[in-house]
Amino acid sequence: MLLFNRRKFIFLFSAVAGCSFTPVFKSKQSPEYLKGKIEFLKPTSRGEYILVSRLEENFGRVEEVLFKLSVSTSVNKKGFGGLGNISRYNLPGSASFVLTEVSTGKVIISDEVNTFTSYSASAQTLATETAERSARDRLMKALADQITTSINMKYPSDL
């Protein structure tokens, strides 16, 4: 009998708690509205190409240009090790971005995101260079995912 009352309370609570929620995906008030409507800058380097490709995966290819996203990235390289030998590298990176409305030129969102990746140094030069290239690609993808998350979280609902 006591177990039945607990179940009844849990179902009743979940039904009542859900009454105040509003739908997440309304037209023009959600990140879903941005799919296919953001124009990205043309990439000029491998890193920018990886970044823009990931942003296109997240937001879709441009169908109707309503917004323009400009991104500037910076990547540093820090070596770690002991006794003069570098055995590990960190690549801290940041990306500043601005999402503007094309028709009015109004800035919708402006933010900066940061993350890092790492790779191991090897005695073989080719292996170290390959690991660095892979780490830079991972860094650009991670920055693009953080840009996507930031835009989705900060997209204003009153547009």
Side-chain angles (χ1 to χ4, degrees):
M1 183 84 172
L2 184 59
L3 182 62
F4 177 75
N5 289 339
R6 286 183 192 162
R7 279 191 246 154
K8 185 177 181 181
F9 174 75
I10 290 171
F11 289 127
L12 180 64
F13 178 74
S14 65
V16 171
C19 292
S20 64
F21 295 142
T22 57
V24 176
F25 296 113
K26 288 185 176 178
S27 64
K28 292 192 178 186
Q29 292 186 353
S30 71
E32 191 66 29
Y33 176 69
L34 297 174
K35 291 250 186 225
K37 294 180 175 64
I38 299 177
E39 179 183 39
F40 308 104
L41 295 177
K42 303 250 185 279
T44 57
S45 67
R46 178 180 171 81
E48 289 178 4
Y49 176 78
I50 299 293
L51 182 85
V52 169
S53 295
R54 185 60 161 226
L55 288 169
E56 282 182 350
E57 284 178 27
N58 295 339
F59 287 113
R61 292 209 174 249
V62 179
E63 297 169 3
E64 175 187 2
V65 178
L66 296 180
F67 303 98
K68 182 178 179 181
L69 182 67
S70 55
V71 181
S72 63
T73 60
S74 69
V75 178
N76 297 319
K77 183 177 175 181
K78 295 181 182 178
F80 296 100
L83 301 173
N85 294 329
I86 295 176
S87 60
R88 187 126 188 105
Y89 288 97
N90 276 359
L91 293 175
S94 64
S96 300
F97 66 93
V98 177
L99 182 70
T100 56
E101 193 172 17
V102 173
S103 61
T104 63
K106 177 183 170 189
V107 173
I108 306 298
I109 299 169
S110 177
D111 199 6
E112 182 176 351
V113 294
N114 301 300
T115 191
F116 76 97
T117 58
S118 298
Y119 65 96
S120 293
S122 172
Q124 298 175 346
T125 307
L126 180 61
T128 303
E129 288 177 1
T130 303
E132 180 180 1
R133 186 176 188 179
S134 176
R136 286 185 184 272
D137 292 350
R138 288 192 317 270
L139 178 66
M140 289 300 136
K141 287 180 182 180
L143 287 172
D145 289 341
Q146 285 191 353
I147 290 170
T148 302
T149 301
S150 180
I151 290 173
N152 287 341
M153 296 301 291
K154 295 179 180 180
Y155 183 71
S157 62
D158 57 350
L159 289 179

